[in-house]
Amino acid sequence: MSGGLTARRTVRGARGVALGGAVVAPVAVLAVGALSTGWFFPQLLPSTITGRHVVDVVGDPATRSAMWTGLRVSLVATAIAMGLAWPAAQVLARPHLPGRAAIAALLFLPSVMPAVGLAIGIDVVALRAGSAGTTGGVVIAHLVPTIPYVTAVLTAGFVRHDRRLEATAAVLGASDRQRLRLVTLPAMRGALVVAGALGFAISWSQYLLTVLVGSGRVITITMLLFAALSGGNPSTIGVLALVAAAPAALLLVAAGTHADRRAAS
Amino acid sequence: MAGRAAGRAVRLEQPSRLSAGDVFRLALVVVPVGGLSIAALVDSTTMDLDVYRSVFDRPGFWTSYAFSIWIAVASSTFAAIGAAVIGFRWARRNRPTGRFTVAVLQYNLGIPHLVWAVSLVALLSPSGWLARLAAAAGCIDRPDQFPVLIGDRHGIGIIVHLVTKEIPFLLIATMPLAGPALRSSLAQAATLGASPLAQLRHVYLPRVAPAFVPALVVVIAYALGAYEPAAVLGVRQPRTLAVVAFDWFREPDLRVREQAFALSTILLATIVVLSTIVVVATRSWWRGTTPTRAAPRFAAHGRIRSAVGAR
C-alpha cells in the first residue's frame, strides 16, 4: 500500500521534473554556454568554466545603458498602465455592464492583430505624431500591448474583492483616503503584484515595437541580443539572452508565488 | 467628528447604467489601446489595389504566404491539442495544480520570445545540446548527421517554438475555469461510464471553451504575425510573410513600404478567416456550455447526461 503510494509519488515527481526540464532545459543550455569558453561539439559539458564573458558583457557600457533604458521604459509603461487600468477595472468588475463586449473587443484588438502589422502601424502613427525615436514614444507604444493584460488582472481582482469591507470602514468613520490605504489596497495587493509583474514582462519583452518606434535611438537588451545573433560569440549571446530573460521571468514567478501564498494564508 | 471622517458614502449596489464618470474611467484604457490600434490599422492599410497586385506578382510571395499559413495552422493545432490534453489531465486530478507547475508556466510566459528562440537554437541546432546527447549515445558522429530542425524548409524550429510557448499560455488562460466544480463533473461522467475521450470532448472542452477559444484566436494571430521566432529559427527561403513585411517596411523605397502595408492587411484578413473557422468549428462546444440546450445532445450520447446537468 505505502509502496504503491511511494511509487506513485515517484512517478509524479518524475513527471514534474520532465515538465520543468522541458521548459528549463533550453535556457539552461544557454546559461552553461554563457559560463564557458570554446565549448564545441561533441562535448556534453564544457571543459572550462569561466565567468569572464559574464563580466565582459555585463561590464560593457553598451549593455548597461541598454539595461537601464529597458528598465526605465518598462517601469514607466507599467506604472502608467496600472494607473489607467485601476479606475477602469473598478467599472469593468461590475456584474452588469452595458457594452462590455465592445469594450473587451477594443481592448483585445491589438492581441488579435498581426504583431508585425501592429508595430508597423504604430510606428507610422508615432512618426506622424513626432514621437518616434524618443523614449516617451516607445513608452506610449508599449502601453498598447500592456494595458489590456494589466486591466484584465485588476478586473479579476475587483471581481473577487468584497466591497462591503469599504462600506464597513466608511460606517466606522474612515475617510476616502483611509479606506483606500487601509482596506482597498491591502485587499487588492495580490492582484496589483501580479498585474505589475505581467505588465513589466510584456513591456520588457517587446522587440518589434521598440525597434521600429525607437528608430534605432532607443536601444534595449533584446536589440543587442538580436544584433549579436549574426556572427556574435556564442558565450556573449548566452549572457545577453540571460540578461534579457532574467528580470521578467523572475518577477513573474515571484509574483505568482506571492499571490499563491496570500491565497493560502 | 463623523462628518469629518466619513467621506463619500460607499454605494454597495452595482449600478447597471454608466455615469459620465464611468465612461471617463473606461475611456482611460479603451482610448489608448483601441484608439492607437485603430489608428495604426488605418494608417498602415492601403486601399490601392495596384499595390496588392504588385505584391501578388512579386516572386516568392505565394510561397511565403503558404509557409506562413502552414506554420500558423500546424503550431496552433499542436498547441490546442497539447493544452487540451494536459489541461484535461490536470482537471481530473484530485488536487489543485501544484505551485511548482504554475511557477514553471509563469516562468515560460515571462521569457521573451527572442530569448526562447535563441535557447532553442542552442538546444536543437546540428551542434546543439541534443545533437551532442545523440553523439554521446553513439547515434551520430558528426553534426551534419543530426536532423535539420533549425532553419529547415518546413519551419519545424518555428513550430516547436510556437507550440512550446503557446501551450503554457493556453493552460494559464483556461486554469481559472478548471476548478473543483469541473473536477466533480468529470468524476460523475467517469462514474457513468464516459471514456476519457468522451469526458474531454463533452465535459472538459465545453466548460473551458469561454477561455480556451478566445485564447486560441490570440495564439493563431500571434503565430501568423510573429517576427522573432521566424527571424531567428527560420530559413532564408521561404521566409514567413511577417518577416518579409518587416524587411520591406524598413526599405527606403516608399513603394516597397506601401507593399509592406499590403502584407499586414493580408495577414490581418487571414487571421480573421482562420479565427472564424476556429469559432465555427468549436461552436458545438459553446452550445454545450448551457446545460438546458446541451441536454438533448447529451441524451443522444446517453450515459453522461447528468454529469452535465450538475453544475
Side-chain angles (χ1 to χ4, degrees), chain A residues 12 23 26 39 41 43-44 88 90 94 98 116-117 121 123 128 163 173-176 179 207 222 248 252 260, chain B residues 5-6 8 11-12 14 16 22 25 36-37 40 43 95 99 107 110 114 116 119 129 132 143 225 228 249 264 271:
Chain A
R12 206 185 279 165
V23 177
W39 182 30
F41 185 92
Q43 294 175 305
L44 263 186
Q90 281 172 311
R94 289 187 196 159
V116 165
D123 188 31
R128 185 175 300 168
R163 293 181 70 245
S175 67
D176 282 359
R179 285 203 300 265
Y207 172 75
T222 37
L252 269 188
D260 251 27
Chain B
R8 267 179 293 124
R11 281 167 53 194
L12 270 183
Q14 304 262 10
S16 57
D22 295 336
R25 292 197 283 173
L36 253 179
S37 307
D43 274 357
R95 59 203 164 82
R99 212 176 278 180
Y107 149 92
L114 179 59
W116 190 245
S119 35
W129 203 73
R132 296 172 193 211
E228 296 98 310
F249 180 66
S264 60
I271 289 171

Side-chain angles (χ1 to χ4, degrees), chain A residues 1-246:
Chain A
M1 170 78 188
S2 79
L5 265 185
T6 320
R8 207 179 298 162
R9 223 171 270 154
T10 316
V11 169
R12 206 185 279 165
R15 230 186 267 154
V17 171
L19 168 78
V23 177
V24 175
V27 181
V29 173
L30 274 188
V32 175
L35 289 172
S36 69
T37 192
W39 182 30
F40 299 116
F41 185 92
Q43 294 175 305
L44 263 186
L45 289 171
S47 47
T48 47
I49 289 288
T50 163
R52 192 162 59 90
H53 298 287
V54 178
V55 174
D56 282 357
V57 174
V58 175
D60 185 350
T63 317
R64 295 235 175 138
S65 145
M67 191 88 190
W68 285 122
T69 305
L71 276 179
R72 216 167 50 224
V73 166
S74 298
L75 287 177
V76 173
T78 310
I80 296 177
M82 290 186 53
L84 294 174
W86 175 269
Q90 281 172 311
V91 181
L92 283 168
R94 289 187 196 159
H96 306 289
L97 183 71
R100 186 194 301 278
I103 296 166
L106 279 174
L107 275 182
F108 282 91
L109 182 62
S111 309
V112 295
M113 280 170 68
V116 165
L118 181 70
I120 287 176
I122 289 181
D123 188 31
V124 175
V125 175
L127 283 168
R128 185 175 300 168
S131 66
T134 66
T135 314
V138 174
V139 168
I140 293 173
H142 280 200
L143 290 178
V144 175
T146 312
I147 287 178
Y149 288 93
V150 171
T151 309
V153 173
L154 289 183
T155 302
F158 277 119
V159 167
R160 282 195 303 269
H161 173 55
D162 186 353
R163 293 181 70 245
R164 283 176 301 183
L165 289 173
E166 272 116 7
T168 312
V171 167
L172 293 171
S175 67
D176 282 359
R177 276 177 62 184
Q178 281 174 318
R179 285 203 300 265
L180 178 67
R181 194 166 58 83
L182 298 171
V183 181
T184 317
L185 285 179
M188 287 288 291
R189 204 170 90 183
L192 279 170
V193 168
V194 172
L198 192 61
F200 180 88
I202 292 171
S203 165
W204 179 264
S205 308
Q206 294 303 321
Y207 172 75
L208 283 176
L209 278 176
T210 320
V211 171
L212 289 181
V213 179
S215 314
R217 283 197 282 271
V218 182
I219 311 275
T220 57
I221 289 288
T222 37
M223 288 160 72
L224 293 187
L225 175 58
F226 215 107
L229 286 183
S230 42
N233 178 320
S235 307
T236 309
I237 294 174
V239 179
L240 280 174
L242 289 184
V243 173

Side-chain angles (χ1 to χ4, degrees), chain B residues 31-275:
Chain B
V31 169
V33 176
L36 253 179
S37 307
I38 291 174
L41 199 62
V42 170
D43 274 357
S44 65
T45 302
T46 170
M47 290 294 173
D48 189 349
L49 287 182
D50 286 339
V51 177
Y52 289 91
R53 232 168 271 136
S54 67
V55 166
F56 295 150
D57 287 343
R58 274 186 79 147
F61 166 79
W62 292 105
T63 323
S64 282
Y65 192 27
F67 188 56
S68 291
I69 292 179
W70 151 247
I71 284 173
V73 170
S75 63
S76 308
T77 307
F78 288 133
I81 294 174
V85 170
I86 297 172
F88 169 63
R89 292 187 60 118
W90 286 353
R92 277 208 300 174
R93 292 188 308 194
N94 231 340
R95 59 203 164 82
T97 308
R99 212 176 278 180
F100 170 76
T101 313
V102 177
V104 167
L105 296 181
Q106 275 158 345
Y107 149 92
N108 178 282
L109 221 56
I111 292 181
H113 276 281
L114 179 59
V115 175
W116 190 245
V118 172
S119 35
L120 285 180
V121 172
L123 192 69
L124 301 177
S125 73
S127 60
W129 203 73
L130 274 191
R132 296 172 193 211
L133 210 58
C139 302
I140 62 169
D141 300 314
R142 299 187 316 272
D144 60 3
Q145 292 167 327
F146 193 72
V148 182
L149 300 175
I150 303 293
D152 66 297
R153 290 193 57 83
H154 304 289
I156 295 173
I158 308 172
I159 293 172
V160 169
H161 173 111
L162 291 168
V163 171
T164 47
K165 261 313 236 181
E166 303 305 8
I167 286 181
F169 172 73
L170 287 170
L171 283 173
I172 285 189
T174 49
M175 224 173 245
L177 293 178
L182 176 56
R183 192 188 320 144
S184 64
S185 294
L186 289 169
Q188 286 183 43
T191 312
L192 292 165
S195 67
L197 198 65
Q199 292 172 42
L200 173 75
R201 169 73 186 80
H202 296 297
V203 182
Y204 177 77
L205 286 177
R207 291 277 281 275
V208 298
F212 191 87
V213 176
L216 188 56
V217 169
V218 172
V219 165
I220 292 170
Y222 187 78
L224 262 177
Y227 177 77
E228 296 98 310
V232 174
L233 302 164
V235 66
R236 272 305 301 161
Q237 206 50 253
R239 293 178 298 165
T240 67
L241 229 45
V243 175
V244 177
F246 183 76
D247 288 351
W248 286 2
F249 180 66
R250 301 188 89 184
E251 282 200 21
D253 185 345
L254 285 178
R255 270 172 317 181
V256 181
R257 294 187 88 174
E258 194 89 340
Q259 289 179 328
F261 294 166
L263 286 188
S264 60
T265 309
I266 293 169
L267 281 174
L268 182 65
T270 314
I271 289 171
V272 172
V273 171
L274 289 181
S275 309

